[in-house]
Amino acid sequence: MDEILRFERVWYRYEEGRMALTDFSVTVRAGERIAVLGENGAGKSTFFLLANGVLRPEKGTVLWNGIPIGRDVKSLNALRKGVGLVFQDPDVQILAGTVAEEISFGPVNLGLSVAQVSRRVEAALDTFALQPYRDRAPQSLSGGEKKRVTLADAAAMDPQLLLLDEPASSLDPVHARQLEEYLALLSRRGLALMVATHDVDFAWRWADRVLVFHNGTLAADGGPAQIFEQEELLRRCGLEQPVLIRIARILGLKRAPRTVEELEQEWRV
């Protein structure tokens, strides 16, 4: 897979002097599904804000499609166009008077023609089942509906990489399952997805790669099986093994299933 985003020895310190990322390096490739794990304050949100160009590194380099991102408008715009960001709280992101206007905001700022903006808005409304809400005030929608609006916002920008910060927080089980279905749809369309989450069970069944943050550093980077078998690492970083791994151990299964459906199949055999 082609590289799209790279951090080379990036450092970031907040104004009060607190170090958020220390000597941080990572590469993200097209089409990956990456779960980003770690305790609160471990550096996950700072990483996302640097990856989207909201923050700029104190030291080190961020590269987008092989090109270093400077402080010039051109390179920053390329990064912000290519990397979409969905915040944990939809109300932070939603600004416009109607759902359709909200989704059109990003494409309009890209300087697209009226026809191009219209096509992107209609496609996003269709993809996220928002046509019935197009003329509604997004602030009046339910939490699950607002989350779909923020996903539509980001998708309408046609990014290569989409960052989602705790997207399932405050969602009920029905809307959380619906969110995973939308993530699967976006993945099939070729987007690279990075999801910051505390839900290790979600990370186990969904991700093909896991990044573990600890005290502003990258403590581990690997496949889910590789990461979740390291019990000492998990304890040090405030994480637990996924339930299905623990169940597989109790049942004596040779391979831990990724989903409940896989567990049922293994157990029947």
Side-chain angles (χ1 to χ4, degrees), residues 2 31 34 54 78 84 89 97-98 144 163 181 231 239 256-257 267:
D2 294 335
I34 301 174
V54 175
D89 181 359
T98 70
L163 315 174
E181 291 171 3
E231 295 186 60
L239 302 170
W267 189 239

Side-chain angles (χ1 to χ4, degrees), residues 149-209:
V149 171
T150 59
L151 285 170
D153 271 356
M157 296 286 287
D158 194 24
Q160 288 179 267
L161 170 62
L162 186 57
L163 315 174
L164 302 101
D165 192 0
E166 292 288 347
S169 65
S170 77
L171 293 184
D172 59 43
V174 170
H175 285 103
R177 283 195 299 272
Q178 186 182 63
L179 171 67
E180 287 194 43
E181 291 171 3
Y182 285 126
L183 293 180
L185 172 63
L186 293 172
S187 180
R188 288 195 297 271
R189 291 183 176 182
L191 266 72
L193 301 170
M194 284 204 291
V195 177
T197 181
H198 292 289
D199 187 344
V200 294
D201 296 309
F202 164 78
W204 172 245
R205 68 176 173 267
W206 176 81
D208 52 36
R209 181 180 172 193

Side-chain angles (χ1 to χ4, degrees), residues 57-103:
E58 176 183 333
K59 291 192 296 184
T61 306
V62 176
L63 298 95
W64 176 246
N65 287 318
I67 299 173
I69 303 302
R71 299 189 180 274
D72 59 291
V73 173
K74 183 178 180 181
S75 65
L76 279 171
N77 282 348
L79 180 65
R80 290 166 183 167
K81 178 183 177 182
V83 182
L85 176 59
V86 176
F87 291 97
Q88 178 177 348
D89 181 359
D91 291 319
V92 172
Q93 193 164 342
I94 291 172
L95 301 171
T98 70
V99 169
E101 289 172 351
E102 175 66 29
I103 297 170

Side-chain angles (χ1 to χ4, degrees), residues 79-267:
L79 180 65
R80 290 166 183 167
K81 178 183 177 182
V83 182
L85 176 59
V86 176
F87 291 97
Q88 178 177 348
D89 181 359
D91 291 319
V92 172
Q93 193 164 342
I94 291 172
L95 301 171
T98 70
V99 169
E101 289 172 351
E102 175 66 29
I103 297 170
S104 72
F105 184 78
V108 166
N109 282 329
L110 290 177
L112 302 180
S113 69
V114 172
Q116 288 173 313
V117 170
S118 178
R119 282 196 294 271
R120 290 202 184 188
V121 170
E122 294 305 316
L125 289 169
D126 289 339
T127 297
F128 296 99
L130 290 168
Q131 285 287 4
Y133 309 98
R134 61 177 304 135
D135 297 319
R136 292 266 304 273
Q139 296 83 358
S140 69
L141 302 181
S142 71
E145 291 160 351
K146 287 179 181 177
K147 186 63 70 175
R148 278 153 53 196
V149 171
T150 59
L151 285 170
D153 271 356
M157 296 286 287
D158 194 24
Q160 288 179 267
L161 170 62
L162 186 57
L163 315 174
L164 302 101
D165 192 0
E166 292 288 347
S169 65
S170 77
L171 293 184
D172 59 43
V174 170
H175 285 103
R177 283 195 299 272
Q178 186 182 63
L179 171 67
E180 287 194 43
E181 291 171 3
Y182 285 126
L183 293 180
L185 172 63
L186 293 172
S187 180
R188 288 195 297 271
R189 291 183 176 182
L191 266 72
L193 301 170
M194 284 204 291
V195 177
T197 181
H198 292 289
D199 187 344
V200 294
D201 296 309
F202 164 78
W204 172 245
R205 68 176 173 267
W206 176 81
D208 52 36
R209 181 180 172 193
V210 176
L211 305 180
V212 180
F213 281 66
H214 182 61
N215 291 339
T217 65
L218 186 59
D221 176 0
Q226 175 189 355
I227 297 299
F228 287 120
E229 70 184 11
Q230 300 182 57
E231 295 186 60
E232 191 280 327
L233 166 73
L234 298 178
R235 281 194 296 272
R236 179 161 49 89
C237 298
L239 302 170
E240 296 182 341
Q241 280 191 321
V243 168
L244 287 175
I245 292 180
R246 288 180 276 162
I247 290 175
R249 185 184 302 118
I250 292 168
L251 296 178
L253 299 178
K254 293 180 180 178
R255 183 185 65 86
R258 299 287 289 271
T259 66
V260 172
E261 290 75 19
E262 284 185 17
L263 174 61
E264 291 173 341
Q265 273 190 332
E266 292 276 348
W267 189 239

